[in-house]
C-alpha cells in the first residue's frame, strides 16, 4: 500500500455505470473508496444512502471510507457497520456528544473519523485527538463535488500535524475537496496522509491513469 493514500470519491462516478466505476477503482492504484452520504439537512444536497452503499460494498475490494454529512449520525452507526463501512467519519459540527459518537463507532468495529468544516479550527480536536483514527479536513464547504480548493487548508494541515506530533498519536490526516495534481504535493508536504479526489479522477479522460499519476506524484 502506498504511503500517501488516494481515495477516489464515488460521488463523481457515473451512477448509471456504478459497477464499471467500482471495478475501475478496484483495478487502479487507489487505496480506498470514499463514499459521501448527504442528508439534505446538514448539507444542502442529498447523495446516496444504504441500498447504494450495500451494492457498492458487494463489489468494492478496497477499504470503504464513509463520510457522513448528516445530522445526528448516532442513529445509523450500527447500520453502516453492517453495510461494510471500514472507516466511519462524522462531522464535529453535527455531533453534540462527539466523544460518545466516536466510542460507538469503534464499538461497532469500525475506525472512527471526524470531519471539520472549513471554518472549524483544528484546535477543537485537541481534547479528543487521541481517540481518533482519522481526521478529515474539508477543503471545500461540504455538499457538492467539483468545487474549488480553499487555500487556507494548508495552514490547517500544518496545525493539525503539530497537534498529532505533540500528542504522539498516529491519527490519519485526510483532505477532502478540490484536490488535484496542482495542490496534492503541497498538501502532502504540509502533512496530509490521504487525498480524496472526485472530479479530478472521474472527469479526467483516463481515470485509472489519473489515479496512478496522482499516487506516483505523492509517493515519489
Ligand atoms: C464534498 C464531498 C467530497 C467530494 C469531493 O462534500 O465530501 O468528498 O465528493 O469531490 P471533489 O474532489 O470533486 O471536490
Ligand atoms: Zn467526502
Amino acid at each position: 500500500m502506498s504511503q500517501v493514500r488516494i481515495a477516489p470519491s464515488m460521488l463523481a462516478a457515473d451512477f448509471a455505470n456504478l459497477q464499471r466505476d467500482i471495478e475501475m477503482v478496484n483495478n487502479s492504484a487507489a487505496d480506498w473508496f470514499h463514499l459521501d452520504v448527504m442528508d439534505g439537512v446538514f448539507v444542502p444536497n442529498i447523495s446516496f444512502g444504504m441500498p447504494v452503499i450495500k451494492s457498492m460494498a458487494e463489489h468494492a475490494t478496497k477499504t470503504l471510507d464513509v463520510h457522513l454529512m448528516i445530522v445526528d449520525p448516532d442513529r445509523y452507526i450500527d447500520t453502516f457497520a453492517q453495510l461494510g463501512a471500514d472507516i466511519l467519519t462524522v462531522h464535529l459540527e453535527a455531533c453534540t456528544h462527539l466523544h460518545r459518537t466516536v466510542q460507538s463507532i469503534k464499538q461497532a468495529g469500525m475506525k472512527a473519523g471526524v470531519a471539520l468544516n472549513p471554518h472549524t479550527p483544528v484546535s477543537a480536536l485537541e481534547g479528543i485527538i487521541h481517540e481518533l483514527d482519522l481526521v478529515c479536513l474539508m477543503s471545500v464547504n461540504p455538499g457538492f463535488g467539483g468545487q474549488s480548493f480553499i487555500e487556507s487548508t494548508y495552514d490547517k494541515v500544518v496545525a493539525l500535524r503539530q497537534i498529532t506530533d505533540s500528542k504522539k498519536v498516529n491519527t490519519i490526516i485526510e483532505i477532502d475537496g478540490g484536490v488535484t495534481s496542482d495542490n496534492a504535493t503541497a498538501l502532502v508536504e504540509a502533512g496530509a496522509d490521504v487525498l480524496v479526489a472526485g472530479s479530478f479522477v472521474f472527469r479526467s479522460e483516463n481515470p485509472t491513469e489519473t489515479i496512478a499519476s496522482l499516487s506516483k506524484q505523492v509517493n515519489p
Side-chain angles (χ1 to χ4, degrees):
M1 188 180 278
S2 325
Q3 214 191 324
V4 177
R5 298 177 182 117
I6 306 298
S9 169
M10 300 308 287
L11 187 64
D14 177 354
F15 291 120
N17 288 287
L18 202 44
Q19 189 176 353
R20 180 199 67 190
D21 286 357
I22 290 167
E23 296 299 347
M24 182 281 291
V25 175
N26 282 343
N27 296 317
S28 76
D31 299 278
W32 295 354
F33 284 84
H34 184 82
L35 308 184
D36 290 302
V37 179
M38 305 178 183
D39 67 353
V41 179
F42 181 69
V43 289
N45 194 14
I46 298 174
S47 57
F48 48 78
M50 284 72 178
V52 175
I53 292 180
K54 184 169 183 282
S55 301
M56 287 184 177
E58 279 161 16
H59 297 283
T61 58
K62 297 180 178 180
T63 295
L64 293 187
D65 170 35
V66 177
H67 176 194
L68 299 184
M69 285 158 275
I70 68 174
V71 297
D72 199 6
D74 301 67
R75 293 171 293 167
Y76 301 113
I77 289 172
D78 288 337
T79 307
F80 282 106
Q82 283 154 19
L83 287 170
D86 297 296
I87 305 166
L88 195 65
T89 296
V90 296
H91 266 263
L92 173 122
E93 302 84 3
C95 296
T96 310
H97 302 288
L98 184 64
H99 186 275
R100 178 183 293 150
T101 305
V102 165
Q103 300 310 322
S104 302
I105 293 171
K106 294 201 277 195
Q107 269 159 26
M110 297 173 287
K111 302 250 186 254
V114 171
L116 299 185
N117 279 337
H119 75 273
T120 304
V122 294
S123 58
L125 294 173
E126 272 175 23
I128 198 170
I129 191 79
H130 56 286
E131 300 281 354
L132 304 182
D133 296 299
L134 176 147
V135 173
C136 175
L137 294 181
M138 292 306 301
S139 38
V140 298
N141 286 292
F144 303 93
Q147 303 181 82
S148 311
F149 180 81
I150 297 173
E151 297 285 325
S152 53
T153 306
Y154 298 118
D155 291 344
K156 287 180 75 174
V157 183
V158 171
L160 180 58
R161 183 52 83 187
Q162 276 167 4
I163 293 174
T164 58
D165 285 351
S166 73
K167 305 254 182 195
K168 298 189 172 48
V169 293
N170 292 321
T171 311
I172 293 168
I173 300 177
E174 176 178 69
I175 311 301
D176 187 8
V179 171
T180 70
S181 53
D182 291 339
N183 50 34
T185 301
L187 284 168
V188 170
E189 280 169 4
D193 301 301
V194 182
L195 302 177
V196 175
S199 323
F200 181 67
V201 166
F202 287 99
R203 301 277 171 275
S204 70
E205 228 162 81
N206 185 336
T208 307
E209 181 50 43
T210 301
I211 293 168
S213 65
L214 191 60
S215 177
K216 211 177 283 173
Q217 179 184 334
V218 292
N219 294 291

